[in-house]
């Protein structure tokens, strides 16, 4: 004889089955959610690791160079102080035919500098070298020169004209007895045609190492 179940028993059984199915469904969704979250976290970690690895392979030298032409030694002294202050390398611009004290006598109309001043064709001064070892490694370049007739001494122009300053920060500085830096830096920047040239600074023979260092430190290089 078949057993009969009451309507109440049937509803209880049906409810239990539905609850079991619902629980199984929720458990499946939860597992899927956790799995997706784990994959996403793993992918993010991998991406971050790859990014970190890529960043670690990028190196910047941050090297600084001081290029200078010095006719009497004054500009050389300033250049040395700048190099000592920032830990820079030095490169001296040297004319193939060096200037003598008589050549530099600007009060004599027949002196070399006077003749070069009066005839621009004579200002293309040949240099012993314009090639700097590791030039591309320098991010910052100081350019130093004496002021001749309100502009940079032309041996420096010979150096600037043949070098590529692309990607470099260029900072001019000059020495003079009374003249200011004027447009000398701007004219060199125009001649170069490349590089990011900053405003320069003029120093006199009486400028102290502390004065020079103070200016350099104020650049926040």
């Amino acid at each position: 004889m078949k057993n009969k179940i009451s309507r109440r028993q049937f509803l209880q059984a049906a409810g239990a089955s539905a609850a079991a199915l619902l629980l199984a469904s929720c458990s499946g969704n939860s597992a899927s959610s956790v799995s997706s979250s784990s994959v996403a976290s793993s992918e993010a970690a991998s991406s971050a690791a790859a990014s970190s690895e890529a960043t670690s392979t990028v190196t910047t030298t941050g090297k600084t160079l001081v290029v200078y032409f010095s006719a009497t030694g004054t500009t050389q002294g300033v250049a040395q102080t700048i190099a000592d202050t920032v830990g820079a390398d030095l490169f001296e611009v040297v004319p193939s035919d060096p200037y003598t004290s008589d050549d530099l006598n600007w009060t004599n109309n027949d002196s070399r500098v006077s003749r070069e001043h009066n005839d621009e064709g004579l200002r293309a001064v040949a240099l012993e070298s314009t090639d700097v070892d590791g030039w591309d490694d320098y991010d910052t370049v100081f350019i130093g020169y004496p002021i001749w007739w309100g502009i940079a001494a032309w041996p420096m122009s010979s150096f600037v004209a043949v070098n590529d300053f692309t990607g470099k920060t260029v900072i001019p500085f000059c020495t003079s007895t009374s003249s200011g830096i004027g447009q000398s830096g701007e004219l060199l920047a125009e001649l170069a045609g490349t590089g990011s040239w900053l405003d320069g600074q003029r120093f006199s023979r009486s400028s102290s190492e502390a004065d020079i260092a103070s200016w350099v430190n104020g650049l926040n290089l």
Side-chain angles (χ1 to χ4, degrees):
M1 183 177 180
K2 295 181 179 179
N3 294 329
K4 295 182 178 180
I5 61 175
S6 66
R7 176 181 176 81
R8 181 177 180 182
Q9 290 174 321
F10 174 79
L11 292 176
Q12 288 176 339
S17 298
L21 290 173
L22 180 61
L23 179 60
S25 175
C26 288
S27 298
N29 288 340
S30 177
S32 175
S33 176
V34 170
S35 177
S36 297
S37 176
S38 298
V39 171
S41 298
S42 178
E43 291 177 347
S46 297
S47 177
S51 176
S52 176
E53 182 178 355
T55 300
S56 66
T57 61
V58 177
T59 57
T60 55
T61 61
K63 293 179 66 177
T64 300
L65 176 70
V66 180
V67 178
Y68 71 93
F69 164 68
S70 186
T72 63
T74 302
T75 307
Q76 182 181 35
V78 176
Q80 185 65 63
T81 299
I82 293 174
D84 291 343
T85 301
V86 297
D89 296 328
L90 284 167
F91 181 87
E92 182 178 10
V93 171
V94 180
S96 298
D97 181 13
Y99 288 85
T100 66
S101 57
D102 288 338
D103 290 337
L104 296 170
N105 184 5
W106 60 272
T107 62
N108 180 357
N109 290 332
D110 292 326
S111 71
R112 178 180 173 182
V113 290
S114 293
R115 286 184 283 106
E116 290 172 344
H117 169 255
N118 295 328
D119 183 353
E120 292 187 19
L122 298 176
R123 297 183 195 175
V125 178
L127 305 177
E128 287 190 354
S129 176
T130 57
D131 297 326
V132 179
D133 290 340
W135 173 254
D136 292 339
D137 296 333
Y138 293 100
D139 297 332
T140 304
V141 180
F142 286 84
I143 297 289
Y145 47 86
I147 291 290
W148 288 356
W149 281 274
I151 63 176
W154 25 96
M156 183 54 71
S157 297
S158 297
F159 175 87
V160 168
V162 298
N163 280 283
D164 184 4
F165 291 85
T166 300
K168 302 183 188 301
T169 297
V170 189
I171 309 166
F173 66 94
C174 72
T175 58
S176 71
T177 301
S178 58
S179 300
I181 194 168
Q183 294 184 312
S184 62
E186 297 172 20
L187 293 174
L188 288 176
E190 291 177 6
L191 180 62
T194 56
S196 177
W197 290 67
L198 305 185
D199 292 336
Q201 181 69 25
R202 172 255 180 186
F203 297 99
S204 67
R205 185 182 295 273
S206 62
S207 296
S208 67
E209 292 184 0
D211 293 333
I212 299 167
S214 177
W215 170 69
V216 174
N217 290 329
L219 297 171
N220 297 317
L221 298 177

